[in-house]
Amino acid sequence: MKLIIEDEEGQRRVVPVVSDEITIGREDGNTVRLPERNISRRHARLVRDDGFFVIEDLGSSNGVRINGDRIDAPRRVQEGDLIQIGDYDLGIEGKVEPVLAPPQMQEARPPAPMRPAAPPVSAAATGDGGSTAIIRVSDLTRTAARVASRELPRSDRPRLVGLSPTVRGQEFALDRTEVRIGRARENDIVVDHASLSRQHARLVLEDDDWKIVDSSSANGVRINGETYAMSALRPGDLIELGHVKLRFCAPGEKFTLPRETEPAPAPAESVRKPRLPAPAVALLALALAGALAAVLFLKLSKPAATEDGEMSAEGAVKAGDLLFLKKEFLRALELYEQAAAKGENPPNLAKATEEAAAQRIDQDLDRAIAAGDFDRAKGLLEKCGENQAHYCRKAREEADQVQKGYAKLHLDKGRAAKGIKLEGCQSEARLVLAFDPANAEAQQLLGQCAPAPAPAPKEVRKPPPAASQAFRDAKARGLLNAGNALTQSKQFPAATAKYQAALELKPSGPLAGLAYRGLGTAAVYAGDPKAAARWFKRYLPYVEDAATREQVEKLIRQYSGE
């Protein structure tokens, strides 16, 4: 199995997967090192889990996306999935060998010496695992037909005016019908900031209207605070590319950048200045000297900058510390990581990483509540658990609202299923009770959704004594074959019922062994390893072949956790 890594320029490298855990990040010591600035020092990890690989975000600043969706919990990945980490696209090539497969289904034949089947080789293990093509949104954009870019007359050129500190006061003219903006030098507008992707977005003039198109960037495009993949632009719109803010100005529009601090108005010339007595003059001189010292102190305490105007490592740590004290942990972490990339070791980095992850959960929780997505809100609340980070404590203040919204959502679903699908009705009620065991409405609904009492079983006429065992064996064989077919079609509860019905007939030894093995196999595929271990223990006495017996014992140890 291999991990394919592709950057924005289309350059690929292949990393063989030879261990059960792969760490991904910017610092040395990771299994896979990605040096771009929008990669955190320890960004993510891939862990082998029961025949699959699971990817986990390690509290990174820019997150991990699977097939375009940002993950907020460990997620299973497989061949064909697109993993996006910063400016990199990753994909898995080849198949993951499962640790061990349960015994293969075998048809129940008429009385003959029982021959337990050998375990099947998983389809995943026998696949050739051909080349995996990583398909990116940017690739699809490049293949679409585009109108050739043309230069605009000066009178028709809008402009972007920088508002955030990195670009404050800078003006970028949109002099062609298509302008690319990003961190890389090949863009038409280059903004060297860690939160921008190498190719972040395109601004396009179509039918006399300007539009902005996200180029599958890591941190996205926001217009007036809302995230868009593509949006029309209007004069005065606030564009946010990562943490960089720009104002869209129409051709010829007059726009004056507001001052960060307004100076006090000067005294009018017509006002006559009163003459101060000598003691007052002395006091005033002392006050002026103190003010001058304060200004000098503030000037010296400002974060230092490098010769090219970029904030120095020491300056980034100081600015990050101020934001840390204000509990703006996401912004503080960004500055700390900039400082770390330049060799500084910010003391608050580890704490800021933990607190920033909690702040991101709290932000996502607010959005989920506002959107009425209480399933996601519940998952985010549980992700905080008992974490004592500031924003996790803040998130737990929303617990009552999430509990009420989640209960209403699933109680409404349960009531809609009542009288139509009893299992669905019960399932929704149980979801509410799992989150809120004291919910009276859910308890009442669960009782209303209970199935009707089963009719009394009809009396089964016993076969003649001489043919009773043969009759039971024949019927048991039919039930076992039906159970095998249901297992193959993934109808595990129905398959389990067939195997149990076969056991109730008290068939001869070989058939009883096949029934126990069928129950164990169905339990494995249904995701109940403890039940699987229990049934395989019952099956073990019927196994005669030494190799098969060794395999069954290994399965019992695996599924029972011994």
Side-chain angles (χ1 to χ4, degrees), residues 5-206:
I5 305 168
E6 182 175 334
D7 62 21
E8 282 196 336
E9 297 175 352
Q11 296 180 348
R12 279 192 182 190
R13 59 183 169 123
V14 179
V15 178
V17 178
V18 295
S19 63
D20 289 342
E21 180 175 328
I22 299 170
T23 58
I24 302 170
R26 196 179 66 237
E27 70 177 1
D28 292 333
N30 288 288
T31 314
V32 175
R33 183 175 179 270
L34 304 178
E36 289 295 336
R37 285 186 290 178
N38 56 10
I39 305 296
S40 295
R41 297 174 66 174
R42 281 179 51 81
H43 200 109
R45 67 174 176 175
L46 278 164
V47 181
R48 191 192 300 267
D49 180 24
D50 194 20
F52 295 92
F53 265 97
V54 172
I55 192 164
E56 179 184 3
D57 184 357
L58 298 177
S60 66
S61 296
N62 296 324
V64 176
R65 286 180 170 85
I66 306 295
N67 300 324
D69 296 326
R70 182 164 178 164
I71 65 172
D72 53 17
R75 179 88 62 89
R76 180 178 291 179
V77 292
Q78 55 191 353
E79 189 173 29
D81 282 342
L82 172 63
I83 306 168
Q84 293 173 291
I85 297 179
D87 289 339
Y88 296 88
D89 294 340
L90 297 86
I92 291 175
E93 178 182 306
K95 307 291 184 179
V96 184
E97 287 277 358
V99 177
L100 203 58
Q104 189 178 19
M105 290 289 95
Q106 175 181 320
E107 182 182 1
R109 302 182 182 278
M114 185 181 72
R115 195 179 196 80
V121 179
S122 159
T126 59
D128 293 333
S131 177
T132 300
I134 301 177
I135 302 174
R136 303 180 300 175
V137 176
S138 56
D139 294 333
L140 299 177
T141 307
R142 283 196 289 269
T143 60
R146 289 187 187 171
V147 178
S149 177
R150 58 183 174 82
E151 190 171 356
L152 294 172
R154 289 187 179 277
S155 59
D156 293 343
R157 296 177 183 176
R159 68 193 193 281
L160 303 177
V161 179
L163 301 178
S164 53
T166 306
V167 293
R168 183 172 176 80
Q170 295 183 41
E171 295 191 359
F172 308 96
L174 306 184
D175 55 0
R176 302 187 66 80
T177 55
E178 179 173 333
V179 176
R180 298 171 303 165
I181 184 168
R183 202 176 71 244
R185 295 190 179 278
E186 59 265 27
N187 290 285
D188 302 300
I189 297 175
V190 178
V191 179
D192 190 12
H193 193 277
S195 65
L196 266 72
S197 295
R198 293 176 61 84
Q199 294 178 359
H200 201 103
R202 294 184 297 123
L203 294 107
V204 184
L205 178 62
E206 292 181 357

Side-chain angles (χ1 to χ4, degrees), residues 301-500:
S301 63
K302 283 184 178 179
T306 59
E307 293 180 359
D308 59 1
E310 185 179 353
M311 189 178 291
S312 67
E314 181 184 359
V317 172
K318 290 181 178 178
D321 288 344
L322 290 173
L323 292 168
F324 187 92
L325 292 173
K326 295 179 181 179
K327 295 183 170 51
E328 296 182 23
F329 300 114
L330 285 168
R331 293 173 59 197
L333 180 61
E334 179 189 346
L335 290 167
Y336 288 154
E337 291 190 335
Q338 287 180 25
K342 297 175 181 177
E344 193 73 22
N345 185 21
N348 289 329
L349 177 60
K351 184 64 175 175
T353 301
E354 178 188 355
E355 293 284 0
Q359 185 176 2
R360 192 176 295 111
I361 291 172
D362 184 58
Q363 290 176 349
D364 290 344
L365 178 64
D366 288 341
R367 283 192 286 268
I369 292 173
D373 187 354
F374 288 101
D375 282 333
R376 185 164 187 264
K378 172 179 175 288
L380 290 165
L381 197 61
E382 290 174 343
K383 189 174 181 181
C384 256
E386 298 301 321
N387 190 323
Q388 293 304 308
H390 172 77
Y391 282 98
C392 273
R393 295 198 303 272
K394 186 172 176 289
R396 283 193 288 273
E397 294 174 3
E398 309 290 338
D400 288 344
Q401 185 178 354
V402 173
Q403 196 174 66
K404 289 176 183 177
Y406 183 84
K408 184 180 184 307
L409 172 69
H410 289 283
L411 287 172
D412 288 347
K413 288 183 179 180
R415 292 183 184 110
K418 187 169 64 173
I420 301 172
K421 190 176 180 181
L422 291 179
E423 287 183 5
C425 177
Q426 290 179 319
S427 175
E428 297 297 334
R430 289 193 182 105
L431 284 174
V432 177
L433 290 172
F435 193 32
D436 181 11
N439 191 294
E441 291 182 83
Q443 292 170 352
Q444 182 182 11
L445 181 62
L446 188 62
Q448 294 170 350
C449 295
K458 295 181 180 180
E459 184 179 356
V460 180
R461 187 175 179 181
K462 295 182 179 179
S468 61
Q469 188 61 52
F471 174 84
R472 290 199 300 274
D473 284 353
K475 192 169 182 179
R477 276 194 298 275
L479 289 168
L480 290 171
N481 288 330
N484 291 346
L486 290 167
T487 299
Q488 296 295 338
S489 61
K490 300 182 179 180
Q491 301 180 54
F492 306 122
T496 299
K498 295 292 183 184
Y499 295 134
Q500 288 176 335

Side-chain angles (χ1 to χ4, degrees), residues 509-526:
L511 294 174
L514 287 176
Y516 287 130
R517 188 180 62 185
L519 286 166
T521 303
V524 170
Y525 288 124

Side-chain angles (χ1 to χ4, degrees), residues 517-554:
R517 188 180 62 185
L519 286 166
T521 303
V524 170
Y525 288 124
D528 190 351
K530 291 185 178 179
R534 187 171 65 252
W535 291 121
F536 284 143
K537 285 179 181 178
R538 302 285 295 274
Y539 166 55
L540 194 60
Y542 298 92
V543 179
E544 297 177 352
D545 179 68
T548 304
R549 185 180 184 86
E550 181 180 354
Q551 182 207 8
V552 174
E553 289 173 343
K554 194 172 184 179

